[in-house]
mmCIF file of all heavy atoms in Angstrom:
data_model
loop_
_atom_site.group_PDB
_atom_site.id
_atom_site.type_symbol
_atom_site.label_atom_id
_atom_site.label_comp_id
_atom_site.label_asym_id
_atom_site.label_seq_id
_atom_site.Cartn_x
_atom_site.Cartn_y
_atom_site.Cartn_z
ATOM 1 N N ASN A 228 -29.962 6.033 56.901
ATOM 2 C CA ASN A 228 -30.677 5.090 57.739
ATOM 3 C C ASN A 228 -32.130 4.842 57.192
ATOM 4 O O ASN A 228 -32.845 5.717 56.888
ATOM 5 C CB ASN A 228 -30.787 5.481 59.182
ATOM 6 C CG ASN A 228 -31.335 4.410 60.016
ATOM 7 O OD1 ASN A 228 -32.516 4.114 60.107
ATOM 8 N ND2 ASN A 228 -30.400 3.827 60.800
ATOM 9 N N GLY A 229 -32.379 3.519 56.902
ATOM 10 C CA GLY A 229 -33.658 3.146 56.286
ATOM 11 C C GLY A 229 -34.834 3.369 57.261
ATOM 12 O O GLY A 229 -35.943 3.734 56.759
ATOM 13 N N LYS A 230 -34.623 3.171 58.474
ATOM 14 C CA LYS A 230 -35.634 3.434 59.435
ATOM 15 C C LYS A 230 -36.045 4.851 59.626
ATOM 16 O O LYS A 230 -37.186 5.271 59.844
ATOM 17 C CB LYS A 230 -35.336 2.914 60.853
ATOM 18 C CG LYS A 230 -35.279 1.324 60.814
ATOM 19 C CD LYS A 230 -34.906 0.825 62.174
ATOM 20 C CE LYS A 230 -34.972 -0.823 62.007
ATOM 21 N NZ LYS A 230 -33.983 -1.374 62.927
ATOM 22 N N ALA A 231 -35.012 5.731 59.443
ATOM 23 C CA ALA A 231 -35.337 7.237 59.377
ATOM 24 C C ALA A 231 -36.233 7.599 58.193
ATOM 25 O O ALA A 231 -37.208 8.323 58.354
ATOM 26 C CB ALA A 231 -34.041 7.952 59.326
ATOM 27 N N LEU A 232 -35.902 6.924 57.041
ATOM 28 C CA LEU A 232 -36.781 7.315 55.931
ATOM 29 C C LEU A 232 -38.199 6.622 56.105
ATOM 30 O O LEU A 232 -39.146 7.389 55.856
ATOM 31 C CB LEU A 232 -36.158 6.604 54.655
ATOM 32 C CG LEU A 232 -36.948 6.641 53.373
ATOM 33 C CD1 LEU A 232 -37.079 8.173 52.950
ATOM 34 C CD2 LEU A 232 -36.229 5.874 52.292
ATOM 35 N N SER A 234 -39.636 6.226 58.921
ATOM 36 C CA SER A 234 -40.386 7.091 59.956
ATOM 37 C C SER A 234 -40.940 8.358 59.302
ATOM 38 O O SER A 234 -42.027 8.735 59.630
ATOM 39 C CB SER A 234 -39.311 7.517 61.038
ATOM 40 O OG SER A 234 -39.877 8.406 61.880
ATOM 41 N N VAL A 253 -43.452 7.194 65.201
ATOM 42 C CA VAL A 253 -42.694 7.470 66.479
ATOM 43 C C VAL A 253 -41.707 6.378 66.779
ATOM 44 O O VAL A 253 -40.616 6.595 67.099
ATOM 45 C CB VAL A 253 -43.697 7.657 67.633
ATOM 46 C CG1 VAL A 253 -43.037 7.720 68.935
ATOM 47 C CG2 VAL A 253 -44.537 8.916 67.382
ATOM 48 N N ILE A 254 -42.172 5.074 66.715
ATOM 49 C CA ILE A 254 -41.390 3.930 66.995
ATOM 50 C C ILE A 254 -40.106 3.888 66.159
ATOM 51 O O ILE A 254 -38.957 3.772 66.575
ATOM 52 C CB ILE A 254 -42.104 2.611 67.022
ATOM 53 C CG1 ILE A 254 -43.118 2.625 68.130
ATOM 54 C CG2 ILE A 254 -41.178 1.484 67.111
ATOM 55 C CD1 ILE A 254 -44.200 1.579 68.117
ATOM 56 N N LEU A 255 -40.394 4.018 64.779
ATOM 57 C CA LEU A 255 -39.339 4.008 63.816
ATOM 58 C C LEU A 255 -38.355 5.109 64.028
ATOM 59 O O LEU A 255 -37.089 4.938 63.830
ATOM 60 C CB LEU A 255 -39.809 3.920 62.447
ATOM 61 C CG LEU A 255 -40.520 2.621 61.994
ATOM 62 C CD1 LEU A 255 -41.245 2.819 60.670
ATOM 63 C CD2 LEU A 255 -39.418 1.562 61.864
ATOM 64 N N GLY A 256 -38.874 6.321 64.355
ATOM 65 C CA GLY A 256 -38.062 7.553 64.580
ATOM 66 C C GLY A 256 -36.981 7.341 65.635
ATOM 67 O O GLY A 256 -35.894 7.585 65.487
ATOM 68 N N HIS A 257 -37.544 6.809 66.779
ATOM 69 C CA HIS A 257 -36.657 6.511 67.956
ATOM 70 C C HIS A 257 -35.609 5.438 67.650
ATOM 71 O O HIS A 257 -34.494 5.556 68.036
ATOM 72 C CB HIS A 257 -37.473 6.214 69.218
ATOM 73 C CG HIS A 257 -38.147 7.393 69.827
ATOM 74 N ND1 HIS A 257 -37.455 8.396 70.357
ATOM 75 C CD2 HIS A 257 -39.428 7.743 69.974
ATOM 76 C CE1 HIS A 257 -38.216 9.216 70.840
ATOM 77 N NE2 HIS A 257 -39.504 8.906 70.622
ATOM 78 N N MET A 258 -36.006 4.350 66.958
ATOM 79 C CA MET A 258 -35.125 3.353 66.614
ATOM 80 C C MET A 258 -34.033 3.860 65.709
ATOM 81 O O MET A 258 -32.863 3.534 65.797
ATOM 82 C CB MET A 258 -35.884 2.110 65.966
ATOM 83 C CG MET A 258 -36.699 1.377 66.989
ATOM 84 S SD MET A 258 -37.790 0.154 66.092
ATOM 85 C CE MET A 258 -36.530 -0.976 65.464
ATOM 86 N N ALA A 259 -34.454 4.758 64.714
ATOM 87 C CA ALA A 259 -33.442 5.230 63.774
ATOM 88 C C ALA A 259 -32.544 6.180 64.481
ATOM 89 O O ALA A 259 -31.291 6.038 64.108
ATOM 90 C CB ALA A 259 -34.215 6.052 62.651
ATOM 91 N N GLN A 260 -32.888 7.021 65.383
ATOM 92 C CA GLN A 260 -31.968 7.893 66.012
ATOM 93 C C GLN A 260 -31.012 7.019 66.848
ATOM 94 O O GLN A 260 -29.791 7.357 66.893
ATOM 95 C CB GLN A 260 -32.700 8.878 66.987
ATOM 96 C CG GLN A 260 -33.365 9.991 66.144
ATOM 97 C CD GLN A 260 -34.060 10.937 67.105
ATOM 98 O OE1 GLN A 260 -34.405 10.683 68.114
ATOM 99 N NE2 GLN A 260 -34.048 12.235 66.579
ATOM 100 N N SER A 261 -31.384 6.050 67.517
ATOM 101 C CA SER A 261 -30.550 5.137 68.243
ATOM 102 C C SER A 261 -29.463 4.510 67.310
ATOM 103 O O SER A 261 -28.260 4.441 67.609
ATOM 104 C CB SER A 261 -31.324 4.056 69.008
ATOM 105 O OG SER A 261 -30.485 3.133 69.559
ATOM 106 N N GLU A 262 -29.916 3.935 66.174
ATOM 107 C CA GLU A 262 -28.987 3.278 65.243
ATOM 108 C C GLU A 262 -27.968 4.317 64.645
ATOM 109 O O GLU A 262 -26.869 4.045 64.502
ATOM 110 C CB GLU A 262 -29.769 2.622 64.096
ATOM 111 C CG GLU A 262 -30.348 1.334 64.453
ATOM 112 C CD GLU A 262 -31.158 0.687 63.261
ATOM 113 O OE1 GLU A 262 -30.880 1.108 62.103
ATOM 114 O OE2 GLU A 262 -31.807 -0.229 63.543
ATOM 115 N N MET A 263 -28.461 5.549 64.333
ATOM 116 C CA MET A 263 -27.586 6.517 63.723
ATOM 117 C C MET A 263 -26.518 6.930 64.760
ATOM 118 O O MET A 263 -25.412 7.183 64.233
ATOM 119 C CB MET A 263 -28.449 7.741 63.266
ATOM 120 C CG MET A 263 -29.300 7.481 61.982
ATOM 121 S SD MET A 263 -30.151 8.862 61.405
ATOM 122 C CE MET A 263 -31.335 9.174 62.601
ATOM 123 N N ARG A 264 -26.824 7.068 66.003
ATOM 124 C CA ARG A 264 -25.825 7.387 66.962
ATOM 125 C C ARG A 264 -24.744 6.271 67.022
ATOM 126 O O ARG A 264 -23.589 6.539 67.163
ATOM 127 C CB ARG A 264 -26.428 7.610 68.443
ATOM 128 C CG ARG A 264 -26.987 8.912 68.605
ATOM 129 C CD ARG A 264 -27.335 9.181 70.019
ATOM 130 N NE ARG A 264 -28.388 8.291 70.538
ATOM 131 C CZ ARG A 264 -29.749 8.550 70.517
ATOM 132 N NH1 ARG A 264 -30.096 9.681 69.990
ATOM 133 N NH2 ARG A 264 -30.525 7.745 70.944
ATOM 134 N N ARG A 265 -25.186 5.122 66.869
ATOM 135 C CA ARG A 265 -24.231 3.941 67.003
ATOM 136 C C ARG A 265 -23.398 3.711 65.664
ATOM 137 O O ARG A 265 -22.242 3.415 65.738
ATOM 138 C CB ARG A 265 -25.036 2.686 67.358
ATOM 139 C CG ARG A 265 -24.250 1.428 67.662
ATOM 140 C CD ARG A 265 -25.192 0.269 68.116
ATOM 141 N NE ARG A 265 -26.555 0.499 67.700
ATOM 142 C CZ ARG A 265 -27.191 -0.321 66.893
ATOM 143 N NH1 ARG A 265 -26.614 -1.228 66.292
ATOM 144 N NH2 ARG A 265 -28.444 -0.051 66.530
ATOM 145 N N THR A 266 -24.081 3.893 64.449
ATOM 146 C CA THR A 266 -23.372 3.520 63.242
ATOM 147 C C THR A 266 -22.880 4.742 62.513
ATOM 148 O O THR A 266 -22.069 4.530 61.554
ATOM 149 C CB THR A 266 -24.324 2.782 62.336
ATOM 150 O OG1 THR A 266 -25.450 3.648 62.018
ATOM 151 C CG2 THR A 266 -24.882 1.504 62.941
ATOM 152 N N GLU A 268 -24.685 6.644 60.552
ATOM 153 C CA GLU A 268 -25.446 6.894 59.355
ATOM 154 C C GLU A 268 -26.002 8.217 59.366
ATOM 155 O O GLU A 268 -26.050 8.906 60.441
ATOM 156 C CB GLU A 268 -26.479 5.839 59.263
ATOM 157 C CG GLU A 268 -25.954 4.521 58.962
ATOM 158 C CD GLU A 268 -27.016 3.341 58.902
ATOM 159 O OE1 GLU A 268 -27.979 3.432 59.796
ATOM 160 O OE2 GLU A 268 -27.038 2.542 58.036
ATOM 161 N N THR A 269 -26.571 8.680 58.217
ATOM 162 C CA THR A 269 -27.168 10.014 58.192
ATOM 163 C C THR A 269 -28.723 9.733 58.080
ATOM 164 O O THR A 269 -29.150 8.570 58.090
ATOM 165 C CB THR A 269 -26.878 10.762 56.798
ATOM 166 O OG1 THR A 269 -27.241 9.927 55.708
ATOM 167 C CG2 THR A 269 -25.332 11.075 56.796
ATOM 168 N N GLY A 270 -29.480 10.822 58.124
ATOM 169 C CA GLY A 270 -30.996 10.783 58.170
ATOM 170 C C GLY A 270 -31.664 11.279 59.444
ATOM 171 O O GLY A 270 -32.804 11.070 59.605
ATOM 172 N N ASP A 271 -30.848 12.049 60.145
ATOM 173 C CA ASP A 271 -31.431 12.604 61.377
ATOM 174 C C ASP A 271 -32.579 13.571 61.090
ATOM 175 O O ASP A 271 -33.608 13.498 61.902
ATOM 176 C CB ASP A 271 -30.336 13.432 62.195
ATOM 177 C CG ASP A 271 -30.681 13.710 63.588
ATOM 178 O OD1 ASP A 271 -31.309 12.744 64.296
ATOM 179 O OD2 ASP A 271 -30.641 14.839 64.059
ATOM 180 N N MET A 273 -34.743 13.249 58.711
ATOM 181 C CA MET A 273 -35.909 12.493 58.318
ATOM 182 C C MET A 273 -36.547 11.845 59.563
ATOM 183 O O MET A 273 -37.744 11.664 59.702
ATOM 184 C CB MET A 273 -35.544 11.405 57.296
ATOM 185 C CG MET A 273 -35.231 11.969 55.935
ATOM 186 S SD MET A 273 -34.939 10.659 54.692
ATOM 187 C CE MET A 273 -33.263 10.256 54.997
ATOM 188 N N ALA A 274 -35.665 11.300 60.492
ATOM 189 C CA ALA A 274 -36.142 10.795 61.668
ATOM 190 C C ALA A 274 -36.965 11.728 62.540
ATOM 191 O O ALA A 274 -37.941 11.361 63.132
ATOM 192 C CB ALA A 274 -35.034 10.057 62.518
#
Side-chain angles (χ1 to χ4, degrees):
N228 187 284
K230 289 181 181 147
L232 178 63
S234 173
V253 170
I254 294 169
L255 287 168
H257 283 294
M258 289 173 65
Q260 284 185 331
S261 173
E262 282 183 14
M263 287 185 291
R264 277 192 295 270
R265 190 172 18 112
T266 63
E268 293 175 317
T269 61
D271 193 47
M273 290 187 278

